[in-house]
């Protein structure tokens, strides 16, 4: 029914209701979040079509779950039963690049790497670099406020957004922000929509701030016998006022997995059980001085080995060890990746705590992370075929969230909340924060049309006890006369 | 009555109802915005007192106008008749400085310069530097999302805020954000409150991100015979991917005023009718290369003179010419300062447009501005004793806003909207944007308690025709029994 009405209004090419297609678009990359089955999957290629979809769904009381490439790690793009999945991948035009004002205007379906490569031709730089950058979309990056390795120096996606065009729950088109780099007129609606995970509207265009392309980075690697030494080196680097453009950490489990995958020694032979990878893109003698200062800090913190290179290709090879960890871990089983961020002084505590949690759960947990901003990705390896092991993995996942909060941290540095951390968000926000979230959601989406009950329960549910995934099942509209007459 | 109830609950020291005191706190620094007379001025020194004030005012249906030092330039802190003015200057503790995590926790009444100087002792840097930094409060900076000379490299106040503590309209205490540098859990309520100009709640604490203290800056001055040449040099600097830490412009009227005030030649003798002042804090050879590249661009754009210095004291002296302009203009009359931001490619158009507007109005208009981010401060000089001249000044003010919007700009780069640009905000936002603003205001402050009808009319007013300032006059509560019994 939903698919028929949408087809009548949008044409058959835009609407898919084939069960195989719908199954393919029913979930994102988080393995443990529940999902439903959509009533239709739609592929609009212009803003007016998005408005028609939203108005039609509002009329039919059918929820809308918006998604890009589906690389998300929280279930935020998972379908609920009977919903319409709105796929943004055909809204994929780079509308404008304005080098004189260092900005780009793009549709949400543009692939992150495509934008990066295109603006690079103008000598410009779009910083956000989530590890899925070759396939993830700008729209998904905006929805989750995605980050990456760049964040220690350049911030998350929100820091690169000047303005948005958003289709609201009544189908009207909101323009937020501006084309100027500076502007404080009215509430910051741009930042409200960025990171709202599809719960407040559908982003159909974004104006993004670009930066001058920085100099090619110099790279430092340091190996430590103990994780706590690496953590101390990070804290000392921050305290010393140094600002590297990349500062990553790998724990012993990550190093071993990467070594096995790459068939090389990354420091284990020297007794290294933690690695720091660091870059500076400040250029010239400033970059050199920055890395030398960090190298001295690492040595003072007990580094067993350090290695510095100005050669960008050499730097890329070194960084590959960090980038390959998730793939390497997949040799041992399925991966469940956490995303806590802690104060930078508590990184060592988080890593040692994860080791304890792994021991308790009887599961391998590898920690890699953006040490420079305290955003850690403990990754739990489990056998997806075993329900019992899946349960243990989920318990470990929750234990890591608990640990992160207890260290003064947050549930999510860059992946978002989605359906997998919904109950945890309530703990982090507290009752007043949750109430404000609900009020804002109700103010902008009173019928709870957009991504219902993802991120938080829009209304107080009867009960929601942590592990239980409550699917949102909508009853079909009682009368279809209205929709038949419409248009 | 309001004062009596507040005194009974808070003690006499917190509440002032002396007419002279109330008059002193009835308005900010914008001369042309209307203001009313408060029923009381309160000086809470702790969060619980703020909660009591808000609950009491909610009970009595008395609006609350929150203010810091009153250095604002939009009338956003102006009293409405019968309101309570909540002054944050006694909430003035620097609660914590955490160098390991590069953050500070402060109360809203802390003076900007006090925070800057205190964190400098730790080798840290709090970037936002509005020109009133010696007297303005962090709370006012947060409310207006204040900027300064730093913004071209370091952004506005919002870019330095990690989290807030806010007293909401029902007196409950909301905590937003976090202590980690990275975090995307839930909606970005922090950014929603920053820049909301006191319309959504009372900020009682802020967690601020600090940066490493940058190297002492090197300075470049370039003089041009034509404003358009200076504008072209700015655009070419941006296009070349250069990132100075300061890039200011002064037009001929500003130069003349500063020369007269300082009794020195700033370039007029060489025929300079526009100056660019530029700094780089990248340090070492990077700073030198950056300024040399900008100098080459200036020469290619037709600069008549350039001067570069590595000496910080020398740089400060040069910058003083820019900082002194407003004071210098006061020799000629009262000043009305605009705050439009335009795309950086349109700066020359804005300056030449302001000259035309000045000619039409028969008033001196000097333009200084943050050229690097397109945020210009055309300043209209007028005789405050002449009602006719005040009217012409206001017309010129509006004409500059119209010009800024027509160039693809925004009404305000850093001062905010307040009562002086309220009707203009509607034009910039459009009807959908305004509706979303009203819905968010209603969701968080349903009784319109906080700074009513500043920034925008919370409800559709019967009519609001540009120049007419509609004061909000509240009737006293019909029964006082509730408030007498309360406590």
């Amino acid at each position: 029914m939903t698919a028929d009405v949408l087809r009548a209004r949008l044409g058959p090419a835009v609407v898919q209701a084939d069960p195989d297609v719908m199954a393919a678009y029913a979930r994102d990359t988080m393995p443990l979040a529940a999902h439903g089955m959509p009533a239709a999957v739609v592929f609009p290629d212009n803003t007016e079509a998005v408005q028609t979809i939203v108005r039609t769904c509002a009329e039919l009381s059918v929820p809308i779950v918006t998604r890009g490439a589906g690389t998300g790690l929280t279930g935020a793009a998972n379908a609920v039963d009977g919903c319409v999945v709105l796929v943004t991948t055909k809204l994929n035009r780079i509308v404008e690049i304005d080098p004189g004002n260092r900005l780009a205007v793009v549709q949400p379906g543009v692939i992150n790497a495509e934008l990066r490569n295109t603006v690079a031709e103008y000598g410009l730089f779009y910083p956000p670099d989530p590890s899925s950058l070759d396939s993830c979309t700008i729209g998904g990056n905006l929805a989750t406020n995605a980050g990456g390795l760049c964040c220690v120096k350049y911030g998350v996606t929100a820091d690169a957004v000047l303005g948005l065009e958003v289709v609201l729950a009544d189908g009207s088109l909101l323009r937020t922000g501006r084309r100027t780099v500076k502007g404080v007129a009215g509430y910051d609606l741009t930042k409200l929509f960025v990171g709202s995970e599809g719960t407040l509207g559908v982003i159909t265009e974004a104006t993004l701030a670009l930066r001058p392309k920085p100099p090619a980075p110099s790279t430092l690697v340091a190996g430590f016998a103990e994780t706590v030494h690496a953590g101390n080196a990070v804290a000392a680097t921050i305290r010393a006022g140094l600002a590297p453009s990349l500062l990553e950490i790998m724990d012993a489990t990550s190093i071993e997995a990467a070594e096995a995958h790459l068939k090389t020694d990354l420091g284990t032979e020297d007794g290294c059980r933690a690695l720091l990878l660091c870059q500076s893109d400040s250029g010239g003698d400033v970059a050199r001085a920055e890395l030398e200062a960090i190298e001295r800090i690492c040595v003072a913190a007990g580094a067993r080995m350090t290695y510095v290179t100005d050669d960008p290709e050499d730097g890329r090879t070194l960084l590959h060890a960090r980038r390959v960890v998730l793939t390497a871990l997949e040799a041992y089983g399925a991966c469940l990746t956490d995303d806590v961020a802690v104060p930078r002084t508590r990184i060592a505590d988080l890593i040692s705590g994860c080791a304890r949690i792994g021991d308790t759960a009887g599961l391998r947990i590898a920690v890699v992370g953006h040490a420079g901003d305290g955003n850690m990705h403990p990754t739990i390896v489990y056998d997806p075929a075993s329900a019992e092991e899946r349960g243990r993995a989920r318990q470990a996942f929750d234990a890591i969230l608990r640990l992160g909060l207890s260290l003064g941290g947050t549930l999510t540095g860059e992946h978002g909340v989605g359906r997998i951390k919904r109950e945890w968000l309530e703990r982090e926000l507290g009752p007043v924060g949750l109430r404000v979230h609900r009020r804002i959601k109700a103010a902008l989406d009173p019928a709870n049309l957009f991504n219902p009950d993802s991120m938080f329960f829009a209304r107080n549910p009867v009960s929601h006890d942590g592990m239980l995934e409550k699917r949102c099942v909508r009853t079909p509209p009682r009368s279809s006369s209205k929709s038949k007459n419409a248009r």
Side-chain angles (χ1 to χ4, degrees), chain A residues 345-369:
Chain A
T345 48
R346 309 305 297 272
I347 290 170
D349 298 325
L350 184 87
I351 293 178
S352 58
C354 286
R356 282 195 304 275
I357 291 167
D359 289 347
T360 305
L363 295 171
R364 186 190 304 255
I365 299 182
V367 184
V368 290

Side-chain angles (χ1 to χ4, degrees), chain A residues 409-426:
Chain A
T410 172
L411 302 174
T412 170
E414 55 184 14
H415 294 172
V417 176
R419 287 177 169 80
I420 198 77
K421 283 177 271 188
R422 183 170 50 185
E423 290 78 10
W424 283 92
L425 182 67
E426 191 170 335

Side-chain angles (χ1 to χ4, degrees), chain A residues 374-449:
Chain A
N375 184 195
M376 298 287 115
H377 294 309
T379 299
I380 305 154
V381 185
Y382 67 100
D383 174 5
S386 157
E388 190 273 332
E389 202 156 301
R390 282 203 308 276
R392 271 191 283 140
R394 174 67 211 229
Q395 279 168 12
F397 184 89
D398 287 343
I400 292 167
L401 295 177
R402 194 175 297 115
L403 172 65
L405 288 184
S406 77
L407 295 172
T410 172
L411 302 174
T412 170
E414 55 184 14
H415 294 172
V417 176
R419 287 177 169 80
I420 198 77
K421 283 177 271 188
R422 183 170 50 185
E423 290 78 10
W424 283 92
L425 182 67
E426 191 170 335
R427 298 196 200 185
E428 180 165 334
L429 295 179
V432 179
L434 183 68
R435 197 163 71 230
V436 170
H437 274 69
R438 285 182 176 154
R439 285 198 189 155
I440 288 172
K441 169 77 167 163
L444 293 181
D445 180 18
N448 200 12
L449 191 71

Side-chain angles (χ1 to χ4, degrees), chain A residues 182-481:
Chain A
K182 212 167 156 188
V184 299
Y187 299 152
D188 193 344
L189 300 181
T190 305
K191 298 288 199 295
L192 181 62
F193 281 94
V194 174
S196 64
E197 302 188 10
T199 63
L200 296 178
V202 183
I203 295 169
T204 50
E205 196 178 277
T207 303
L208 304 171
L210 307 173
R211 286 176 173 268
K213 202 171 160 186
S218 303
T219 307
L220 157 72
V221 180
F224 299 83
E226 303 287 343
T227 307
V228 67
H229 298 164
N232 290 344
V234 171
T237 298
I238 302 303
R239 211 162 33 234
L242 296 157
S245 58
L246 178 149
L247 181 48
E248 297 287 309
I249 194 167
M250 293 171 65
D251 76 346
T253 311
S254 309
I255 298 169
E256 285 157 20
E259 284 180 335
H261 183 83
L262 298 170
K263 297 184 176 55
T264 186
D265 172 57
L266 294 170
T268 303
E269 283 175 14
D270 289 333
C272 295
R273 297 184 51 75
L275 286 182
L276 287 182
L277 296 104
C278 183
Q279 289 189 327
S280 170
D281 65 3
S282 298
D285 59 2
V286 177
R288 211 166 304 121
E290 223 160 34
L291 288 191
E292 280 167 8
I294 298 174
E295 188 180 25
R296 280 194 299 273
I297 286 171
C298 288
V299 170
R304 294 210 161 189
M305 69 91 172
T306 61
Y307 175 74
V308 180
T309 175
D310 284 339
D311 180 50
E313 196 48 55
D314 205 9
R316 250 191 299 277
T317 306
L318 291 168
L319 223 60
H320 186 60
R322 157 69 182 88
R323 293 197 190 269
V324 87
V325 169
L326 257 185
T327 310
L329 286 169
E330 282 167 2
Y332 306 110
C335 289
L336 182 63
T337 300
D338 236 316
D339 173 44
V340 288
V342 294
R344 288 168 287 193
T345 48
R346 309 305 297 272
I347 290 170
D349 298 325
L350 184 87
I351 293 178
S352 58
C354 286
R356 282 195 304 275
I357 291 167
D359 289 347
T360 305
L363 295 171
R364 186 190 304 255
I365 299 182
V367 184
V368 290
H370 313 308
D373 49 36
N375 184 195
M376 298 287 115
H377 294 309
T379 299
I380 305 154
V381 185
Y382 67 100
D383 174 5
S386 157
E388 190 273 332
E389 202 156 301
R390 282 203 308 276
R392 271 191 283 140
R394 174 67 211 229
Q395 279 168 12
F397 184 89
D398 287 343
I400 292 167
L401 295 177
R402 194 175 297 115
L403 172 65
L405 288 184
S406 77
L407 295 172
T410 172
L411 302 174
T412 170
E414 55 184 14
H415 294 172
V417 176
R419 287 177 169 80
I420 198 77
K421 283 177 271 188
R422 183 170 50 185
E423 290 78 10
W424 283 92
L425 182 67
E426 191 170 335
R427 298 196 200 185
E428 180 165 334
L429 295 179
V432 179
L434 183 68
R435 197 163 71 230
V436 170
H437 274 69
R438 285 182 176 154
R439 285 198 189 155
I440 288 172
K441 169 77 167 163
L444 293 181
D445 180 18
N448 200 12
L449 191 71
F450 292 123
N451 215 0
D453 298 335
S454 191
M455 194 191 269
F456 58 92
F457 289 96
R459 296 179 188 90
N460 212 354
V462 182
S463 85
H464 51 99
D465 48 2
M467 297 293 295
L468 184 70
E469 176 72 19
K470 199 180 156 221
R471 286 194 200 169
C472 172
V473 182
R474 297 287 178 130
T475 51
R478 257 164 279 165
S479 156
S480 62
S481 62

